[in-house]
Structures are given as structure tokens and as C-alpha cells.
Short mmCIF file of all heavy atoms in Angstrom, two decimals:
data_model
loop_
_atom_site.label_atom_id
_atom_site.label_comp_id
_atom_site.label_asym_id
_atom_site.label_seq_id
_atom_site.Cartn_x
_atom_site.Cartn_y
_atom_site.Cartn_z
N ALA A 575 3.06 1.51 -30.86
CA ALA A 575 2.29 2.62 -30.26
C ALA A 575 0.85 2.17 -29.99
O ALA A 575 0.26 2.54 -28.96
CB ALA A 575 2.30 3.85 -31.17
N LEU A 576 0.25 1.47 -30.92
CA LEU A 576 -1.09 1.02 -30.78
C LEU A 576 -1.21 0.02 -29.58
O LEU A 576 -2.08 0.07 -28.77
CB LEU A 576 -1.63 0.37 -32.08
CG LEU A 576 -3.07 -0.12 -32.05
CD1 LEU A 576 -4.02 1.01 -31.74
CD2 LEU A 576 -3.38 -0.76 -33.39
N ALA A 577 -0.21 -0.87 -29.46
CA ALA A 577 -0.21 -1.83 -28.36
C ALA A 577 -0.10 -1.11 -27.05
O ALA A 577 -0.81 -1.49 -26.11
CB ALA A 577 0.95 -2.81 -28.52
N ASP A 578 0.72 -0.07 -26.95
CA ASP A 578 0.88 0.67 -25.76
C ASP A 578 -0.49 1.38 -25.39
O ASP A 578 -0.90 1.39 -24.23
CB ASP A 578 2.01 1.76 -25.85
CG ASP A 578 3.34 1.14 -25.92
OD1 ASP A 578 3.51 -0.04 -25.59
OD2 ASP A 578 4.31 1.87 -26.34
N THR A 579 -1.08 1.90 -26.38
CA THR A 579 -2.38 2.62 -26.18
C THR A 579 -3.47 1.66 -25.70
O THR A 579 -4.22 1.90 -24.72
CB THR A 579 -2.84 3.33 -27.45
OG1 THR A 579 -1.84 4.22 -27.91
CG2 THR A 579 -4.14 4.02 -27.27
N VAL A 580 -3.51 0.51 -26.34
CA VAL A 580 -4.51 -0.54 -25.93
C VAL A 580 -4.22 -0.99 -24.48
O VAL A 580 -5.19 -1.11 -23.67
CB VAL A 580 -4.53 -1.74 -26.91
CG1 VAL A 580 -5.25 -2.89 -26.39
CG2 VAL A 580 -5.04 -1.26 -28.24
N GLU A 581 -3.00 -1.16 -24.15
CA GLU A 581 -2.62 -1.61 -22.78
C GLU A 581 -2.95 -0.52 -21.78
O GLU A 581 -3.53 -0.89 -20.74
CB GLU A 581 -1.09 -1.88 -22.74
CG GLU A 581 -0.65 -2.47 -21.46
CD GLU A 581 0.87 -2.81 -21.55
OE1 GLU A 581 1.35 -3.28 -22.51
OE2 GLU A 581 1.53 -2.50 -20.49
N ALA A 582 -2.75 0.71 -22.08
CA ALA A 582 -3.10 1.78 -21.13
C ALA A 582 -4.61 1.85 -21.04
O ALA A 582 -5.16 2.06 -19.87
CB ALA A 582 -2.57 3.11 -21.70
N LEU A 583 -5.40 1.75 -22.10
CA LEU A 583 -6.84 1.76 -22.00
C LEU A 583 -7.35 0.53 -21.22
O LEU A 583 -8.30 0.74 -20.38
CB LEU A 583 -7.44 1.74 -23.39
CG LEU A 583 -7.32 3.11 -24.15
CD1 LEU A 583 -7.73 2.92 -25.65
CD2 LEU A 583 -8.03 4.24 -23.53
N ALA A 584 -6.77 -0.63 -21.41
CA ALA A 584 -7.20 -1.79 -20.66
C ALA A 584 -6.92 -1.61 -19.17
O ALA A 584 -7.77 -1.97 -18.33
CB ALA A 584 -6.48 -3.02 -21.15
N PHE A 585 -5.82 -1.02 -18.84
CA PHE A 585 -5.48 -0.74 -17.44
C PHE A 585 -6.52 0.26 -16.83
O PHE A 585 -7.00 -0.01 -15.70
CB PHE A 585 -4.07 -0.18 -17.33
CG PHE A 585 -3.72 0.20 -15.89
CD1 PHE A 585 -3.45 -0.78 -14.95
CD2 PHE A 585 -3.71 1.52 -15.51
CE1 PHE A 585 -3.17 -0.45 -13.68
CE2 PHE A 585 -3.40 1.89 -14.18
CZ PHE A 585 -3.14 0.89 -13.25
N LYS A 586 -6.85 1.26 -17.58
CA LYS A 586 -7.81 2.27 -17.08
C LYS A 586 -9.20 1.63 -16.91
O LYS A 586 -9.92 1.93 -15.99
CB LYS A 586 -7.92 3.48 -17.98
CG LYS A 586 -6.78 4.41 -17.82
CD LYS A 586 -7.04 5.65 -18.64
CE LYS A 586 -5.94 6.71 -18.40
NZ LYS A 586 -6.25 7.94 -19.00
N ALA A 587 -9.56 0.66 -17.81
CA ALA A 587 -10.88 0.06 -17.72
C ALA A 587 -10.90 -0.98 -16.63
O ALA A 587 -12.00 -1.30 -16.11
CB ALA A 587 -11.16 -0.57 -19.07
N ASP A 588 -9.77 -1.52 -16.16
CA ASP A 588 -9.77 -2.53 -15.14
C ASP A 588 -9.71 -1.88 -13.79
O ASP A 588 -8.72 -1.87 -13.08
CB ASP A 588 -8.59 -3.46 -15.33
CG ASP A 588 -8.68 -4.71 -14.51
OD1 ASP A 588 -9.65 -4.86 -13.73
OD2 ASP A 588 -7.77 -5.60 -14.66
N ILE A 589 -10.90 -1.46 -13.32
CA ILE A 589 -11.00 -0.68 -12.11
C ILE A 589 -10.73 -1.62 -10.87
O ILE A 589 -10.10 -1.21 -9.92
CB ILE A 589 -12.49 -0.11 -11.95
CG1 ILE A 589 -12.57 0.98 -13.02
CG2 ILE A 589 -12.63 0.50 -10.61
CD1 ILE A 589 -13.94 1.53 -13.21
N LYS A 590 -11.14 -2.87 -10.96
CA LYS A 590 -10.97 -3.79 -9.90
C LYS A 590 -9.43 -3.97 -9.62
O LYS A 590 -8.99 -3.92 -8.49
CB LYS A 590 -11.60 -5.13 -10.23
CG LYS A 590 -11.45 -6.17 -9.09
CD LYS A 590 -12.16 -7.46 -9.47
CE LYS A 590 -11.97 -8.53 -8.41
NZ LYS A 590 -12.56 -9.82 -8.73
N ALA A 591 -8.68 -4.21 -10.67
CA ALA A 591 -7.27 -4.42 -10.51
C ALA A 591 -6.60 -3.13 -9.94
O ALA A 591 -5.67 -3.21 -9.10
CB ALA A 591 -6.61 -4.79 -11.85
N ARG A 592 -7.01 -1.98 -10.45
CA ARG A 592 -6.46 -0.71 -9.98
C ARG A 592 -6.77 -0.52 -8.50
O ARG A 592 -5.90 -0.10 -7.72
CB ARG A 592 -6.96 0.44 -10.80
CG ARG A 592 -6.34 0.48 -12.21
CD ARG A 592 -6.94 1.55 -13.10
NE ARG A 592 -7.11 2.77 -12.51
CZ ARG A 592 -7.96 3.72 -12.91
NH1 ARG A 592 -8.73 3.43 -14.01
NH2 ARG A 592 -8.09 4.87 -12.39
N SER A 593 -8.02 -0.85 -8.12
CA SER A 593 -8.34 -0.74 -6.71
C SER A 593 -7.55 -1.70 -5.82
O SER A 593 -7.06 -1.35 -4.74
CB SER A 593 -9.81 -1.01 -6.42
OG SER A 593 -10.66 -0.81 -7.47
N GLN A 594 -7.34 -2.88 -6.27
CA GLN A 594 -6.49 -3.86 -5.59
C GLN A 594 -5.07 -3.42 -5.44
O GLN A 594 -4.51 -3.51 -4.37
CB GLN A 594 -6.60 -5.22 -6.20
CG GLN A 594 -7.95 -5.91 -6.10
CD GLN A 594 -8.07 -7.15 -6.91
OE1 GLN A 594 -7.32 -7.43 -7.83
NE2 GLN A 594 -9.06 -7.96 -6.56
N ASP A 595 -4.57 -2.83 -6.54
CA ASP A 595 -3.16 -2.28 -6.43
C ASP A 595 -3.10 -1.16 -5.41
O ASP A 595 -2.21 -1.15 -4.58
CB ASP A 595 -2.74 -1.73 -7.82
CG ASP A 595 -2.47 -2.84 -8.82
OD1 ASP A 595 -2.32 -3.98 -8.46
OD2 ASP A 595 -2.42 -2.44 -10.02
N ARG A 596 -4.07 -0.26 -5.39
CA ARG A 596 -4.08 0.87 -4.46
C ARG A 596 -4.26 0.29 -3.03
O ARG A 596 -3.59 0.80 -2.13
CB ARG A 596 -5.22 1.79 -4.81
CG ARG A 596 -5.27 3.02 -3.88
CD ARG A 596 -4.09 3.92 -4.14
NE ARG A 596 -4.22 5.03 -3.25
CZ ARG A 596 -3.20 5.60 -2.60
NH1 ARG A 596 -1.98 5.20 -2.74
NH2 ARG A 596 -3.44 6.67 -1.80
N ALA A 597 -5.13 -0.73 -2.83
CA ALA A 597 -5.29 -1.24 -1.51
C ALA A 597 -3.99 -1.90 -1.02
O ALA A 597 -3.66 -1.76 0.17
CB ALA A 597 -6.39 -2.34 -1.59
N ARG A 598 -3.27 -2.57 -1.89
CA ARG A 598 -1.99 -3.15 -1.52
C ARG A 598 -0.97 -2.04 -1.11
O ARG A 598 -0.25 -2.22 -0.11
CB ARG A 598 -1.45 -4.04 -2.65
CG ARG A 598 -2.05 -5.40 -2.69
CD ARG A 598 -1.24 -6.29 -3.60
NE ARG A 598 -1.50 -5.99 -5.01
CZ ARG A 598 -2.46 -6.53 -5.76
NH1 ARG A 598 -3.37 -7.29 -5.19
NH2 ARG A 598 -2.63 -6.14 -7.04
N GLU A 599 -0.91 -0.94 -1.87
CA GLU A 599 -0.07 0.15 -1.50
C GLU A 599 -0.41 0.71 -0.17
O GLU A 599 0.49 0.94 0.66
CB GLU A 599 -0.20 1.25 -2.58
CG GLU A 599 0.46 0.97 -3.92
CD GLU A 599 0.11 2.11 -4.91
OE1 GLU A 599 -0.24 3.17 -4.52
OE2 GLU A 599 0.30 1.81 -6.11
N LEU A 600 -1.70 0.97 0.11
CA LEU A 600 -2.13 1.52 1.34
C LEU A 600 -1.83 0.59 2.51
O LEU A 600 -1.40 0.98 3.61
CB LEU A 600 -3.59 1.80 1.31
CG LEU A 600 -3.97 3.03 0.41
CD1 LEU A 600 -5.47 3.17 0.35
CD2 LEU A 600 -3.32 4.33 0.94
N GLN A 601 -2.05 -0.76 2.27
CA GLN A 601 -1.72 -1.70 3.31
C GLN A 601 -0.27 -1.72 3.67
O GLN A 601 0.14 -1.76 4.81
CB GLN A 601 -2.20 -3.08 2.85
CG GLN A 601 -2.00 -4.21 3.90
CD GLN A 601 -2.50 -5.52 3.46
OE1 GLN A 601 -2.73 -5.75 2.24
NE2 GLN A 601 -2.70 -6.37 4.39
N ALA A 602 0.61 -1.57 2.65
CA ALA A 602 2.01 -1.58 2.92
C ALA A 602 2.37 -0.34 3.67
O ALA A 602 3.21 -0.36 4.65
CB ALA A 602 2.77 -1.62 1.61
N GLN A 603 1.80 0.79 3.38
CA GLN A 603 2.04 2.05 4.05
C GLN A 603 1.57 1.91 5.55
O GLN A 603 2.31 2.35 6.44
CB GLN A 603 1.33 3.22 3.43
CG GLN A 603 1.93 3.70 2.10
CD GLN A 603 1.10 4.73 1.41
OE1 GLN A 603 0.06 5.17 1.92
NE2 GLN A 603 1.54 5.17 0.24
N LEU A 604 0.41 1.35 5.74
CA LEU A 604 -0.08 1.20 7.10
C LEU A 604 0.79 0.29 7.92
O LEU A 604 1.02 0.52 9.11
CB LEU A 604 -1.52 0.66 7.10
CG LEU A 604 -2.57 1.69 6.71
CD1 LEU A 604 -3.93 1.02 6.57
CD2 LEU A 604 -2.61 2.85 7.64
N THR A 605 1.25 -0.84 7.29
CA THR A 605 2.11 -1.74 7.99
C THR A 605 3.42 -1.05 8.41
O THR A 605 3.85 -1.29 9.54
CB THR A 605 2.43 -2.93 7.00
OG1 THR A 605 1.19 -3.60 6.69
CG2 THR A 605 3.34 -3.96 7.72
N GLU A 606 3.95 -0.28 7.53
CA GLU A 606 5.14 0.46 7.82
C GLU A 606 4.94 1.44 8.98
O GLU A 606 5.76 1.51 9.90
CB GLU A 606 5.67 1.22 6.60
CG GLU A 606 6.99 1.90 6.80
CD GLU A 606 8.18 0.94 7.07
OE1 GLU A 606 8.11 -0.22 6.59
OE2 GLU A 606 9.11 1.37 7.76
N LYS A 607 3.82 2.15 8.97
CA LYS A 607 3.51 3.08 10.02
C LYS A 607 3.34 2.37 11.36
O LYS A 607 3.80 2.82 12.38
CB LYS A 607 2.24 3.88 9.69
CG LYS A 607 2.37 4.87 8.67
CD LYS A 607 3.01 6.13 9.23
CE LYS A 607 3.04 7.16 8.18
NZ LYS A 607 3.89 8.28 8.46
N ALA A 608 2.71 1.20 11.29
CA ALA A 608 2.47 0.40 12.49
C ALA A 608 3.83 -0.06 13.13
O ALA A 608 4.04 -0.02 14.33
CB ALA A 608 1.62 -0.87 12.23
N ARG A 609 4.75 -0.43 12.25
CA ARG A 609 6.09 -0.79 12.70
C ARG A 609 6.80 0.38 13.39
O ARG A 609 7.45 0.21 14.43
CB ARG A 609 6.93 -1.27 11.50
CG ARG A 609 6.92 -2.71 11.28
CD ARG A 609 8.00 -3.17 10.32
NE ARG A 609 7.39 -4.20 9.45
CZ ARG A 609 7.17 -4.07 8.13
NH1 ARG A 609 7.60 -3.02 7.52
NH2 ARG A 609 6.53 -5.06 7.49
N ASP A 610 6.65 1.54 12.72
CA ASP A 610 7.29 2.74 13.32
C ASP A 610 6.70 3.05 14.72
O ASP A 610 7.47 3.37 15.66
CB ASP A 610 7.08 4.02 12.40
CG ASP A 610 7.87 3.83 11.10
OD1 ASP A 610 8.73 2.92 11.00
OD2 ASP A 610 7.58 4.63 10.17
N VAL A 611 5.33 3.00 14.81
CA VAL A 611 4.73 3.22 16.08
C VAL A 611 5.15 2.22 17.14
O VAL A 611 5.47 2.60 18.27
CB VAL A 611 3.19 3.31 15.93
CG1 VAL A 611 2.52 3.34 17.30
CG2 VAL A 611 2.82 4.46 15.13
N ARG A 612 5.16 0.98 16.76
CA ARG A 612 5.52 -0.09 17.70
C ARG A 612 6.99 0.12 18.17
O ARG A 612 7.29 -0.16 19.36
CB ARG A 612 5.40 -1.52 17.07
CG ARG A 612 4.05 -2.09 17.35
CD ARG A 612 3.98 -3.57 16.90
NE ARG A 612 3.06 -3.67 15.85
CZ ARG A 612 3.26 -4.03 14.63
NH1 ARG A 612 4.47 -4.43 14.22
NH2 ARG A 612 2.31 -4.05 13.74
N ALA A 613 7.85 0.61 17.31
CA ALA A 613 9.22 0.84 17.73
C ALA A 613 9.33 1.97 18.75
O ALA A 613 10.28 1.97 19.52
CB ALA A 613 10.04 1.15 16.47
N GLN A 614 8.39 2.89 18.73
CA GLN A 614 8.45 3.98 19.63
C GLN A 614 7.75 3.74 21.00
O GLN A 614 7.96 4.39 21.97
CB GLN A 614 7.83 5.25 19.03
CG GLN A 614 8.57 5.74 17.85
CD GLN A 614 7.83 6.85 17.11
OE1 GLN A 614 6.75 7.20 17.46
NE2 GLN A 614 8.46 7.34 16.05
N VAL A 615 6.88 2.69 21.01
CA VAL A 615 6.14 2.39 22.24
C VAL A 615 7.04 1.59 23.19
O VAL A 615 7.72 0.66 22.72
CB VAL A 615 4.88 1.56 21.89
CG1 VAL A 615 4.16 1.08 23.14
CG2 VAL A 615 3.91 2.41 21.03
N PRO A 616 7.06 1.96 24.46
CA PRO A 616 7.86 1.17 25.42
C PRO A 616 7.39 -0.22 25.57
O PRO A 616 6.18 -0.44 25.57
CB PRO A 616 7.75 1.98 26.74
CG PRO A 616 6.67 2.96 26.54
CD PRO A 616 6.39 3.08 25.09
N HIS A 617 8.30 -1.16 25.62
CA HIS A 617 7.91 -2.57 25.69
C HIS A 617 7.75 -3.09 27.07
O HIS A 617 7.14 -4.08 27.30
CB HIS A 617 8.98 -3.42 24.92
CG HIS A 617 8.97 -3.07 23.51
ND1 HIS A 617 8.03 -3.38 22.58
CD2 HIS A 617 9.98 -2.47 22.72
CE1 HIS A 617 8.37 -2.94 21.40
NE2 HIS A 617 9.56 -2.39 21.46
N THR A 618 8.31 -2.37 28.04
CA THR A 618 8.21 -2.80 29.44
C THR A 618 7.78 -1.65 30.32
O THR A 618 7.92 -0.48 29.92
CB THR A 618 9.56 -3.31 30.00
OG1 THR A 618 10.50 -2.29 30.02
CG2 THR A 618 10.10 -4.47 29.16
N ALA A 619 7.30 -1.94 31.44
CA ALA A 619 6.89 -0.89 32.44
C ALA A 619 8.15 -0.05 32.77
O ALA A 619 7.98 1.15 32.92
CB ALA A 619 6.34 -1.55 33.66
N GLU A 620 9.29 -0.70 32.89
CA GLU A 620 10.47 0.08 33.25
C GLU A 620 10.86 1.13 32.12
O GLU A 620 11.23 2.23 32.43
CB GLU A 620 11.68 -0.86 33.50
CG GLU A 620 12.93 -0.19 34.01
CD GLU A 620 12.64 0.52 35.29
OE1 GLU A 620 11.91 0.11 36.18
OE2 GLU A 620 13.19 1.69 35.41
N GLU A 621 10.69 0.70 30.88
CA GLU A 621 10.93 1.65 29.77
C GLU A 621 9.96 2.80 29.81
O GLU A 621 10.34 3.91 29.68
CB GLU A 621 10.80 0.95 28.44
CG GLU A 621 11.92 0.01 28.05
CD GLU A 621 11.75 -0.64 26.67
OE1 GLU A 621 10.97 -0.11 25.87
OE2 GLU A 621 12.41 -1.66 26.46
N ALA A 622 8.72 2.49 30.16
CA ALA A 622 7.69 3.51 30.23
C ALA A 622 7.98 4.51 31.35
O ALA A 622 7.91 5.72 31.24
CB ALA A 622 6.28 2.90 30.40
#
């Protein structure tokens, strides 16, 4: 229980790692959205 508590406190104190984790999550979401948008955009003038 103490090890779990210390680990949780260390995670909360490591703001840089938490921000990097969040940035990676957001980047993955944006990449997925970009793929979705690209799939909907016509690739040729004829498609448009």
C-alpha cells in the first residue's frame, strides 16, 4: 500500500512526464482526425 501511495505521489509530482503523456495523447488524436479529414477530401478534380 505504501509503495502504491509513493508511486502515485511521484506521478503527481512529475508534471513534465504528465504533460508529455498528455501531449502524446493529443498528438495521436490530432493525427487520427487528420486521417479522417484526408479520407473525406477528394483526391482528384474529377472526384471534386
Side-chain angles (χ1 to χ4, degrees):
L576 183 58
D578 291 345
T579 302
V580 168
E581 188 177 317
L583 289 172
F585 176 74
K586 282 187 175 188
D588 193 356
I589 295 170
K590 182 179 178 182
R592 287 174 45 203
S593 333
Q594 290 172 342
D595 288 345
R596 182 68 178 138
R598 279 190 286 274
E599 287 174 19
L600 291 173
Q601 184 178 16
Q603 288 174 1
L604 287 174
T605 302
E606 184 65 28
K607 287 281 185 193
R609 267 192 221 117
D610 292 347
V611 168
R612 269 190 243 118
Q614 294 173 358
V615 172
H617 298 291
T618 65
E620 188 54 42
E621 285 180 22

